[in-house]
Amino acid sequence: MFARHDLVWLTSRGWQRVRDGAPQAALSALDRWRDGGWPAVVRRTEAGMLPGEVAIGFPLPPRPEDGGKLKFGCAVEMSDIGRRTRALPLVGALDAVPAQWREGLEALERQAADAGVSLSVYGSVALAALTGQYYLTPLSDIDVLLQPQTRRQLMIGLDLLSWHAGILPLDGEVVFPDGRAVAWKELRAAFAGAPGTRVLTKGLDRIALVLPEALMATLEEEHG
C-alpha cells in the first residue's frame, strides 16, 4: 500500500507518461530529474483517478532568478513504478543540512533511536539530501515524520520533537499505523486542550477531522 511522502522511481514508460502530460516549461527540469535518477513523491489521491493509479509529484527546486517554485503533479500506473521506499530516514539527511542544524538534528536522531522511535524527513530537507540541489534557506522548516507503533513511542516522540523545536525549526506530522497523519504540533496541542478537540488528519484518499482517541486506538499497548 502506498502512503503520502513515499519515494518512487519510475520506469522508462513511466517517465514517458510524465513527459507527455507535463507543461513545456517543466520539461527541462523534469529531464534533469530523470537523468539524476531522483525519485518522485507520492501525494494524496485526486478525484477522477483510475483504479491502479498513483498520484505523484515533483517538487522542483526554487528558480535561481526569482526563488519561485514549480510543482508538477500527475498520476502514473503502478506498473510505471520500478521501485518504492518509504520517506527518507532522518539519519540519511544529516549530511545535507546546514551546519547550524546538524548538531541538534544528530542529537534528536540519536535520542529517538535510543528510545526505539522512528523519525523520517520530507519536504526541503529530504529533497536536498536526495538530489543535492538547492532547497534549503534560512527560512526553511525541517519537516519530520514521527511514525509510532505504540503509545509509548508516540508520547516520547512528541516530547522529543517539542523540546528540540526550541532550538530547531521543526515541523511535520505524526503518521499512524493506518496511514492517517496529523501535524504533530496540532496533536500535542489537542492533548493539552479541551476534551473533544478534534484534529485534522490527512490520508492517501481523504482529509477528515477526528478525535485524537481514534488515532490512539490504532497504536499498540506496551505491557511489562
Side-chain angles (χ1 to χ4, degrees), residues 22-104:
Q24 186 68 33
L27 289 180
S28 177
L30 286 171
D31 286 347
R32 184 183 179 201
W33 202 280
R34 176 198 61 201
D35 296 343
W38 303 325
V41 181
V42 174
R43 58 192 179 89
R44 194 161 53 86
T45 300
E46 294 184 347
M49 286 178 51
L50 300 175
E53 287 188 330
V54 180
I56 61 172
F58 297 88
L60 303 174
R63 293 187 296 265
E65 62 271 18
D66 61 6
K69 295 182 180 180
L70 174 62
K71 295 184 179 181
F72 172 67
C74 61
V76 296
E77 296 177 4
M78 289 188 184
S79 59
D80 294 329
I81 295 172
R83 181 163 70 96
R84 180 199 75 171
T85 67
R86 296 302 188 189
L88 182 70
L90 173 57
V91 68
L94 294 176
D95 289 343
V97 302
Q100 65 267 28
W101 292 351
R102 193 165 298 138
E103 184 177 354

Side-chain angles (χ1 to χ4, degrees), residues 175-190:
V175 182
F176 287 84
D178 63 0
R180 287 182 293 179
V182 58
W184 68 263
K185 292 177 182 177
E186 183 180 355
L187 182 62
R188 188 174 174 86

Side-chain angles (χ1 to χ4, degrees), residues 93-179:
L94 294 176
D95 289 343
V97 302
Q100 65 267 28
W101 292 351
R102 193 165 298 138
E103 184 177 354
L105 281 176
E106 287 174 346
L108 171 60
E109 195 282 327
R110 182 174 61 253
Q111 292 165 7
D114 289 347
V117 174
S118 174
L119 296 179
S120 299
V121 288
Y122 64 103
S124 297
V125 168
L127 291 163
L130 289 164
T131 71
Q133 297 189 88
Y134 175 78
Y135 281 92
L136 297 173
T137 75
L139 299 178
S140 295
D141 290 325
I142 305 170
D143 293 311
V144 178
L145 290 177
L146 168 61
Q147 299 158 298
Q149 296 298 313
T150 69
R151 298 188 177 207
R152 174 181 173 275
Q153 289 174 356
L154 171 64
M155 302 315 294
I156 290 175
L158 288 175
D159 285 345
L160 283 173
L161 290 173
S162 180
W163 191 90
H164 283 277
I167 55 175
L168 293 167
L170 296 180
D171 207 346
E173 299 178 339
V174 181
V175 182
F176 287 84
D178 63 0

